[in-house]
Amino acid sequence: MTKLLFALIPVLIVLSQACAQHPLVLLGGTLIDGTGTEPKFNPAIIIEGSRITLVGTLELTSRDGKIVSRIRTTKGVIDVPEDADVYDVNGKVMMPGLIDAHIHYDGVERDLLQMFAWGVTSANCMVEATDRALALERETAPDSIASPQLYATTPIFTAKGGWWWGKDFRDDSTLNRFPATAKEARAQVRRVKAKGIKRIKLMYDDMRWCRDTLPPLARMKKNVMAALLDEAGRQGLIAEVHVPQMKDAKEVLAAGFTPKGKALRKDTLRQSGQIGSFGFAHGILDESISDSIEHIMIDKGTFYIPTFCVFEFLANTRGFLQHAMGDGRFQSSLPQDVVQHYLSSEYYERYRTRYPNSAFVSAHMLVLFRNTKSLVDRHVPVVMGTDMWALPGIGAHLELEYMVQAGLSPMEAIVSATKMGARFLGREASLGTIEPGKQADILLLDANPTFSIFNTRSISKIIKQGMIYDHQELIERSKKQ
Ligand SMILES: [Zn+2]
């Protein structure tokens, strides 16, 4: 496919860029590195090209009567490289760029710009058609593109008569997203693997929990689900299952690929929260997760993406949007007509008609909250993801807020949105934390989010692969689109 799917134009509002000749040095402030350790004060970070090459501590010394900045490293104190572009971040708080592990993108370029302006530097994007997904990965990869770097989960396997995203979404002519037999399912997974794809999604849900009293949707046959999961595990792919009801989730857990041999030893998994080969693309809503279910999840390395935002949206669309727009920073980041649209009766009625069972969802929000807290306490890999189509980027901050409401500490919420996100993407070696060797995806905040999670919203700058972008300029640009 040679045609660009959307015209992402490199932005001209880059403030500074680390290049091979001129390292970028960030000096001062507070560092939350994403590993979950305590914030560090007065850090010094050297970025060369797109990578972080050193994280040390700023040290001020006097030389020839002048105060000079130097950098304390594990090997001693060094000078700031002479040719460096030095960026004083005193008074700011640095944290890794946010990773949203569950997004959809329907082709509106402004959505990507807004996500990026709100600090989402990487996102796991669920895409129906494989070729489109691969093109999105390529197009959003450059540092000069004001968009999160997208990683694709594709295709979305479902059943005929099952969940369908409407005629606007392209289908995939290269494979069958609706396999009817186990044999067909396995063949599709092998075809996906041959295309170089790493993650697939399965719908395993009749949607009654949110659509009653509309007719239930067809759910994929159990043996097809099991074949997709098993084959994905054998081929080294990650399978993300949309399965918010416990009875279905139990079937998924029973079928989920159990790795043999050294890769995922139980004791390692238990301690590290390592990601296995499959997991839940949404939280479990309708029932508490029992001890025995938790143990199966731990043993199989089942990851868990709660997606509070989408459940809050379905539970009370109007309340969710009013709550979001109650933060002036969010409201003023959107064009007025978009705000009006979100708050209109028409918007509310549209979703109410599509998902009439809001009473069930709202009655079970506490279960969803408790399940997440319990899994985090047991070191099950819980990963931040929003599943939001409304409020791009803003959703990530709401999701963090809900995580803290569920009982996670702000630091636990931040780790799930950074380090755990990178682990889930299979890119922990290069993404998710502010450490030497990692990609330089860094947010500069005006206030410390470990004091209050609302402070993740105080973004002033976004660094993508060593390039610095200004939050407000990105917002202004997005409003004009
Ligand atoms: Zn989704």
Side-chain angles (χ1 to χ4, degrees), residues 28 44 56 60 62 81 102 160 177 202 227 233 240 259 264 315 321 366 372 403 452 467:
L60 298 176
S62 141
H102 188 150
K160 285 265 187 237
R177 293 203 298 122
L202 284 67
E240 301 164 23
L264 292 176
L321 290 162
L366 258 183
T372 302
M403 286 183 141
S452 161
M467 296 244 281

Side-chain angles (χ1 to χ4, degrees), residues 7-24:
L8 277 179
I9 303 157
V11 284
L12 300 170
I13 49 179
V14 173
L15 299 179
S16 183
Q17 175 183 12
C19 58
Q21 291 75 27
H22 296 280
L24 180 66

Side-chain angles (χ1 to χ4, degrees), residues 404-418:
V404 170
Q405 211 172 309
L408 276 68
S409 68
M411 189 63 99
E412 285 173 328
I414 289 168
V415 169
S416 82
T418 55

Side-chain angles (χ1 to χ4, degrees), residues 102 104 126 201 282 387:
H102 188 150
H104 295 266
M126 316 278 186
K201 183 174 179 186
H282 295 285
D387 191 23

Side-chain angles (χ1 to χ4, degrees), residues 102-104 126 156 163 165 201 203 242 281-282 307 310 386-389:
H102 188 150
I103 70 155
H104 295 266
M126 316 278 186
I156 302 175
W163 187 245
W165 280 264
K201 183 174 179 186
M203 297 295 294
H242 166 117
H282 295 285
T307 65
V310 76
T386 59
D387 191 23
M388 280 317 291
W389 51 93

